[in-house]
Amino acid sequence: MSPSMIAPVVEEENNIYHKGVKHLCDNGLTKVPTKYVWPEPDRPILTKSDKLTKPKQNLKLPIIDFAELLGPNRSHVLQTIAKACETYGFFQVVNHGMEGDVSRNMIEVCKKFFELPYEERSKYMTSDMTAPVRYGTSFNQNKDNVFCWRDFLKLYAHPLPDYLPYWPSSPSDFRSLAATYATETKEMFEMMVKAIMESLEIDGDSDEVTEELKEGSQMVVVNCYPPCPEPELTLGMPPHSDYGFLTLLLQDDVEGLQILYRDEWVTVDPIPGSFVINVGDHLEIFSNGRYKSVLHRVLVNSTKPRISVASLHSFPLTSVVKPSTKLIDEHNPPQYMDTNFATFLQYISTREPKWKNFLESRKIHHLK
């Protein structure tokens, strides 16, 4: 085949992949296309039967009882939060008040969205990272050399009245249910920020940073991971850390989230109705490295679809993020350069985002 004939074929294949993995699966798929096959060192350690080749390691993250946090045992719970953020970069929250209809309805309406015809979903496809609504696939489909087994819907959510009119109008109850979910996760985030500030021994009520975060950015990211015929060859999401301050993750009952703990990939046990909360890059910078933004990835499986909803929160997009002045002194100099959202966008627009590369690029290396 001549080069002039190969080019249209390659372009057509790429167009198919850019339509998303759900579209591929809906049209019948018995093998993972080469575009999704990861290099051997990056693949999950799975055999053909979906069993781990070494003893399965599921991690029970520290559990924070929200009712306890708001009660007389607050000081003890704050110590648990501090240790979790230093050791794991993750913890799970239960008794948060959203265990009922709000969480269930959000998962169900998101499932319905991804069950819509491709033509309906594709209305929201764009490469504009600042678009109020963005439907897409993989991790960063414009830069990824190898694609991930994941489609997503990203919704800017604060201030909510500014963005809500742009959100999907189908399913018919999507906007109302997602708006309730976004509002209640924002409230939970604000309470968690106060707790985080207290755990860092920064006054959470009067600190201006708390107010800044209250008016900060919120993005709701819905992830869809269809069943995969060869899950041992690919990933739902590659190893990465979250850009932002805190991420609040709601999962269905299908496991898939893994975190890097003591140089081993370990699967997080999903607790029905709980939220997994993780430290983002901005919190690592703000805490001057005390709290860790930990690498995590997502595995897929051959039998069950998986839906998760992440609510990512941080400072306003125009803010400068830097180590807290209350956490630096002559013995603890700043470990990170000041950064902002524009710097991040410029960074990821020029390369394939991997691991914690952006955060590493902001580190200050002191001479000893």
Side-chain angles (χ1 to χ4, degrees), residues 56 58 154 183 185-186 215 229 232 274 277 289 346:
K56 193 173 184 180
N58 274 29
K154 295 186 177 183
T183 300
T185 50
K186 182 83 164 61
E215 297 306 316
E232 69 276 4
S274 72
I277 297 185
Q346 183 180 17

Side-chain angles (χ1 to χ4, degrees), residues 22 29 34 74 102 128 134 145 153 175 191 193 210 263 275 318 323 364:
K22 180 74 167 58
L29 205 63
T34 305
R74 185 175 180 85
V102 175
D128 180 4
R134 185 156 67 99
N145 292 319
L153 178 69
R175 282 187 191 172
M191 287 190 276
V193 165
T210 305
D263 295 325
F275 275 83
T318 53
I364 298 171

Side-chain angles (χ1 to χ4, degrees), residues 146-164:
V146 181
F147 269 24
C148 301
W149 202 263
R150 167 224 191 199
D151 291 346
F152 62 78
L153 178 69
K154 295 186 177 183
L155 310 165
Y156 276 105
H158 184 74
L160 190 56
D162 291 0
Y163 294 116
L164 191 59

Side-chain angles (χ1 to χ4, degrees), residues 24 26 28 42 48 50 60 65 71 80 96 100 106 118 145 149 164 181 194 212 224 226-227 245 249 257 281 297 354:
L24 282 176
D26 288 347
D42 299 328
K48 290 286 184 185
D50 268 19
K60 295 187 185 301
D65 188 321
T80 305
H96 43 72
M106 186 61 180
Y118 169 75
N145 292 319
W149 202 263
L164 191 59
Y181 177 83
K194 290 183 179 182
E212 198 177 354
C224 172
F245 197 83
L249 179 73
L257 174 64
D281 292 350
R297 68 179 189 180
K354 289 181 179 179

Side-chain angles (χ1 to χ4, degrees), residues 96-115:
H96 43 72
M98 288 176 61
E99 286 89 352
D101 291 344
V102 175
S103 294
R104 272 197 306 273
N105 289 345
M106 186 61 180
I107 291 288
E108 288 306 314
V109 81
C110 289
K111 284 180 181 176
K112 289 178 184 175
F113 173 84
F114 283 101
E115 288 165 0

